[in-house]
Amino acid sequence: MKNYIFLYIAIIGLLSFNGYSQEKRVASADKKYDSYAYVNAIKTYERVANKGYKSEEIFKNLGNAFYFNSKFDKAAKWYGELFAMNTELEPEYYYRYAQSLKSIGEIEKSKEMLDLFDEKSENDIRAQLYKKDRNYMEEIQANSGRYEIDDAGINSKYSDYGTAFYQDKIIFTSARDTGSLGHRRHKWTGESFTNLYQSSVDEDLNPKRAKKFRCKLKTKFHESTPVFTKDGNTVYFTRNNYVNGKKGKDENKITLVKIYKATFENNKWGNITELPFNNDSYSVAHPALSPDEKTLYFASDMPGTIGQSDIFRVSIDSLGNFGKPENLGPGINTEGKETFPFVSNENEIYFASDGHPGLGGLDVFVGKLDEKGVHNIQNVGADINSPMDDFAYIIDTKSRRGFFSSNKGDSKNDNIYKFLETRKLECIQELYGVVTDLNTGKILPYTKLTLYDRKFNLVGTTNSDEKGNYIFAVECGTTYNIRAEKEEYTTKEQLVNIPYENGKTNLPIQLEKTECVVTIGDDLGKCFGIKMIYFDLDKSNIRPEAALDLEKILDVLNEYPNMKLDIRSHTDSRQTHKYNEALSDRRAKSTIKWLVDNGVDASRLTGKGYGETQLVNECADGVDCTEEQHQMNRRSEFIISDL
């Protein structure tokens, strides 16, 4: 995919060279590079480099120029030369080199570069996604085999991409030669400026012969990626910053892209206006509409962007006024490029990204969309995606047919492909767990479990097996109530929120005995699952959640007036022995004071702090233990001393 529309601006410093002629050539190339005339810059840089002149800046510029034009094989070559000169580079170059290597099939070396990128990056979302999902290739493979794909039949020898549904047609973007002797070419790509074309489609969305979309939307610069309202009377589209014969430029004299709106009146398109959040200083592109047409999604590098381009959304009111653009956030956007959004009537957002783990270049991803953002982002699989750039995915959810664009294939230009999705990519979740006795941890087989939705409508029932395990098939992003029932145990209900992502949700269930049989020497706290009376750090004040547990002890003491308790407080081994003993003793005394203040005769209570002298595991001083292991030693005991 030619990168003029990807909204990434490369800023390259001036170079210094030994030879005057070399300096003059490279200075000329830099000027072309900075003005997005990448085709011309590449020729100059390559001529200089092929004469044996080596420079980190030249290799960076060459690598970037090919990378931004999605020529990943050549990008890999020059990034390789760069890393041969210096292996201590900015983290971004490790990522670009990894992406380029991945695109030419050098997967292991790409992983090495991604590991180094992860090591050198600080809080980069792309590194976090890579660490979180190192087995992403397996997931991509699992999501593959779901499409029948074919050439759309409307491609030319030039770049064709970015389809949109419009009545009984598709509208797409093309740089095909107009046949005019004076047609203008874009310096970056070497191709003609793009125009909009149309093709009628049959009931199976098979396109017929393409022809120009003749209307007043056309200018002498780029027009691309439209989206139409359902009634066909409004279009939003991408165009260079050019309206009413005037070309706008940013501070670097670059003409960026904006989104424009036009309406269909009196059998013609007119009233072309730019959207109010456009700006000469940044790009806004690739509009997409929500199913109710009250929200416009788009790609931009406007202020507040996380990466090279992010996906934003903006509300549209009943009068056609726009709200304030909102970044969709790090749930979808990365430090890379996120672009070409499309929102289906099933509230799924499809988009292209080189920041989420993929096969190389841009991959197509899909996520579930709601008012909070995007969830359960998945790579759509290797049918659509390839080591090259794959993007501009649209789908008719009724027929499961659609189109996407890619520069895979021998021509290396962007082409439009049609597809039939034979199996939907669905979010699958299971709710599972084990049922045990709260006090003893004993497995409770054959426990009845009932699952309800949030409104307590019955969803299903099951019984735990002989090992106490249970399982329910559940829907992603849904809240349930689960009820567990067993003889001699108190029935328990728990709320559980199922995340919107493929996987399994673990919910262990612990049941209390209806009657807890205790005798002298037993810990009364175990009847109620009281493992610890919680205090603030280094303090001995009773916290509200601790008071709730003490109310249970108080109730039993009131029921059994002859019962006496020895209250014991323990700490873990962190801090000094003397400090822990004093702290635990203060906490034991605070516990006793609370019970006395609430009506228990002081003669029924004794207590002491034991600090770290009675550890229940090996976590003594100098032993490396987990937080969970230390937690076992931080406990409170209510030992029955008399009945």
Side-chain angles (χ1 to χ4, degrees):
M1 173 59 199
K2 308 309 182 194
N3 200 59
Y4 71 87
I5 212 73
F6 282 164
L7 323 173
Y8 180 67
I9 300 175
I11 301 175
I12 302 297
L14 294 176
L15 311 178
S16 60
F17 296 88
N18 295 327
Y20 176 76
S21 62
Q22 297 282 25
E23 180 179 332
K24 186 175 181 180
R25 287 184 184 182
V26 175
S28 172
D30 284 344
K31 184 176 180 181
K32 295 168 184 174
Y33 180 92
D34 289 338
S35 66
Y36 293 163
Y38 284 175
V39 170
N40 295 335
I42 288 171
K43 291 178 181 178
T44 303
Y45 284 134
E46 280 195 300
R47 283 194 294 268
V48 171
N50 287 333
K51 287 186 176 181
Y53 189 89
K54 294 186 177 182
S55 159
E56 285 186 28
E57 293 303 318
I58 280 188
F59 293 150
K60 283 182 178 179
N61 288 356
L62 273 171
N64 290 343
F66 285 117
Y67 183 81
F68 299 150
N69 269 306
S70 301
K71 298 184 183 300
F72 298 116
D73 53 345
K74 293 186 177 181
K77 171 187 173 182
W78 294 113
Y79 285 143
E81 294 285 351
L82 173 63
F83 276 87
M85 288 191 69
N86 185 4
T87 56
E88 294 299 323
L89 295 161
E90 300 95 322
E92 186 64 29
Y93 283 96
Y94 290 84
Y95 189 80
R96 293 178 192 168
Y97 191 24
Q99 289 290 92
S100 301
L101 289 167
K102 192 188 300 182
S103 292
I104 61 174
E106 295 190 27
I107 304 301
E108 291 306 314
K109 192 171 182 180
S110 173
K111 288 181 179 178
E112 291 178 16
M113 287 294 116
L114 283 174
D115 286 335
L116 289 169
F117 172 69
D118 176 24
E119 180 182 311
K120 294 176 180 294
S121 299
E122 295 182 2
N123 301 318
D124 191 293
I125 295 171
R126 293 168 297 178
Q128 294 171 15
L129 289 169
Y130 172 65
K131 282 192 295 187
K132 180 182 177 182
D133 195 6
R134 290 184 184 272
N135 295 321
Y136 68 91
M137 293 297 291
E138 295 177 10
E139 294 184 10
I140 292 174
Q141 189 60 40
N143 292 344
S144 302
R146 302 183 301 109
Y147 290 93
E148 295 176 4
I149 296 174
D150 201 358
D151 186 289
I154 51 175
N155 294 304
S156 66
K157 63 180 181 179
Y158 299 96
S159 289
D160 304 285
Y161 68 93
T163 47
F165 295 122
Y166 173 56
Q167 298 174 342
D168 61 347
K169 306 176 182 66
I170 56 169
I171 310 297
F172 64 95
T173 307
S174 180
R176 63 190 60 192
D177 192 342
T178 61
S180 168
L181 294 176
H183 70 271
R184 304 174 69 252
R185 295 185 183 274
H186 190 236
K187 290 181 180 179
W188 187 337
T189 64
E191 294 187 348
S192 302
F193 281 85
T194 58
N195 292 316
L196 298 180
Y197 283 74
Q198 66 181 9
S199 175
S200 298
V201 292
D202 62 21
E203 59 183 9
D204 291 329
L205 298 187
N206 293 307
K208 300 177 182 178
R209 184 166 177 251
K211 59 183 180 179
K212 276 192 174 182
F213 186 61
R214 298 189 180 277
C215 65
K216 289 187 176 182
L217 305 186
K218 181 183 181 303
T219 66
K220 59 183 179 180
F221 295 102
H222 289 297
E223 281 81 36
S224 68
T225 55
V227 63
F228 297 84
T229 54
K230 294 184 181 72
D231 62 12
N233 292 329
T234 302
V235 63
Y236 301 92
F237 63 100
T238 306
R239 172 195 282 176
N240 278 117
N241 184 359
Y242 181 83
V243 68
N244 296 327
K246 295 181 179 180
K247 184 169 66 170
K249 297 182 178 181
D250 68 3
E251 60 183 8
N252 297 314
K253 308 300 182 183
I254 303 299
T255 299
L256 302 177
V257 291
K258 294 182 175 182
I259 295 177
Y260 294 83
K261 175 184 177 182
T263 54
F264 193 71
E265 298 175 0
N266 300 320
N267 208 33
K268 63 181 180 180
W269 289 102
N271 191 28
I272 299 173
T273 57
E274 66 171 279
L275 299 193
F277 46 85
N278 286 331
N279 193 290
D280 291 350
S281 299
Y282 54 78
S283 287
V284 182
H286 311 318
L289 282 167
S290 61
D292 61 8
E293 300 182 350
K294 295 180 180 180
T295 304
L296 185 76
Y297 295 82
F298 59 92
S300 179
D301 60 350
M302 65 172 56
T305 301
I306 295 171
Q308 298 166 23
S309 68
D310 284 6
I311 296 176
F312 291 76
R313 64 181 169 190
V314 63
S315 61
I316 310 172
D317 67 20
S318 58
L319 299 176
N321 299 312
F322 293 89
K324 182 180 179 181
E326 171 194 3
N327 189 302
L328 281 185
I332 181 172
N333 293 315
T334 71
E335 286 81 0
K337 295 188 287 281
E338 278 70 47
T339 186
F340 289 99
F342 172 80
V343 180
S344 76
N345 59 9
E346 296 175 338
N347 283 320
E348 290 180 320
I349 183 167
Y350 294 86
F351 64 99
S353 171
D354 66 1
H356 291 266
L359 296 176
L362 289 170
D363 274 23
V364 176
F365 295 83
V366 61
K368 193 67 175 180
L369 190 63
D370 62 26
E371 64 279 358
K372 295 181 181 179
V374 186
H375 314 279
N376 193 37
I377 291 174
Q378 297 186 68
N379 188 299
V380 299
D383 310 307
I384 298 291
N385 293 317
S386 70
M388 304 303 289
D389 281 334
D390 309 284
F391 57 98
Y393 179 109
I394 67 171
I395 186 170
D396 169 55
T397 55
K398 184 177 180 180
S399 67
R400 308 310 297 181
R401 296 180 183 274
F403 301 89
F404 74 100
S405 305
S406 177
N407 64 347
K408 58 188 173 185
D410 295 335
S411 72
K412 302 299 182 183
N413 285 328
D414 302 324
N415 285 309
I416 299 170
Y417 295 84
K418 62 183 180 180
F419 67 78
L420 169 65
E421 185 185 46
T422 58
R423 173 172 59 87
K424 289 183 65 176
L425 183 60
E426 296 180 329
C427 181
I428 300 173
Q429 264 280 352
E430 287 182 348
L431 174 63
Y432 76 101
V434 61
V435 186
T436 58
D437 185 295
L438 174 66
N439 300 312
T440 67
K442 178 184 175 182
I443 287 172
L444 298 181
Y446 315 119
T447 302
K448 180 182 178 182
L449 296 127
T450 309
L451 191 67
Y452 300 92
D453 65 17
R454 200 160 193 170
K455 296 181 179 180
F456 279 90
N457 296 309
L458 177 65
V459 175
T461 60
T462 190
N463 291 299
S464 61
D465 63 19
E466 66 277 5
K467 295 182 179 180
N469 296 306
Y470 74 91
I471 188 169
F472 284 104
V474 291
E475 294 184 11
C476 299
T478 306
T479 299
Y480 293 94
N481 289 281
I482 187 168
R483 180 183 299 166
E485 303 171 80
K486 190 171 181 63
E487 290 184 6
E488 300 182 359
Y489 285 86
T490 302
T491 297
K492 183 177 184 178
E493 285 186 345
Q494 287 181 247
L495 192 72
V496 57
N497 295 307
I498 307 299
Y500 206 104
E501 60 183 35
N502 282 323
K504 298 180 179 181
T505 300
N506 183 24
L507 182 68
I509 297 175
Q510 297 175 312
L511 297 183
E512 290 184 82
K513 275 267 193 177
T514 306
E515 294 184 0
C516 183
V517 180
V518 292
T519 187
I520 294 173
D522 288 344
D523 183 357
L524 180 61
K526 288 185 177 180
C527 279
F528 306 103
I530 301 172
K531 296 178 181 178
M532 182 178 179
I533 297 299
Y534 287 91
F535 300 86
D536 289 326
L537 183 65
D538 294 336
K539 294 183 179 180
S540 55
N541 299 323
I542 300 295
R543 283 167 45 173
E545 57 266 44
L548 176 61
D549 280 336
L550 289 178
E551 284 284 356
K552 301 171 186 176
I553 301 297
L554 177 63
D555 182 74
V556 175
L557 289 172
N558 289 335
E559 286 290 315
Y560 297 90
N562 294 323
M563 181 181 287
K564 294 182 179 181
L565 295 179
D566 183 35
I567 298 169
R568 304 172 184 178
S569 178
H570 304 269
T571 69
D572 59 36
S573 62
R574 293 177 290 188
Q575 285 286 357
T576 66
H577 179 88
K578 183 177 180 180
Y579 178 89
N580 285 333
E581 186 173 13
L583 177 62
S584 62
D585 200 58
R586 291 198 306 272
R587 289 177 169 178
K589 287 180 170 58
S590 292
T591 303
I592 292 172
K593 183 178 182 301
W594 189 93
L595 291 168
V596 171
D597 289 345
N598 283 274
V600 178
D601 192 306
S603 64
R604 299 173 62 191
L605 304 171
T606 58
K608 181 181 177 180
Y610 291 84
E612 58 183 276
T613 62
Q614 297 184 6
L615 301 177
V616 297
N617 55 29
E618 71 280 3
C619 296
D621 292 338
V623 178
D624 187 18
C625 289
T626 66
E627 179 60 33
E628 290 75 15
Q629 288 172 311
H630 283 302
Q631 176 68 62
M632 294 172 66
N633 291 314
R634 297 195 303 273
R635 65 197 190 280
S636 299
E637 297 174 324
F638 299 86
I639 305 301
I640 300 170
S641 57
D642 197 355
L643 286 172

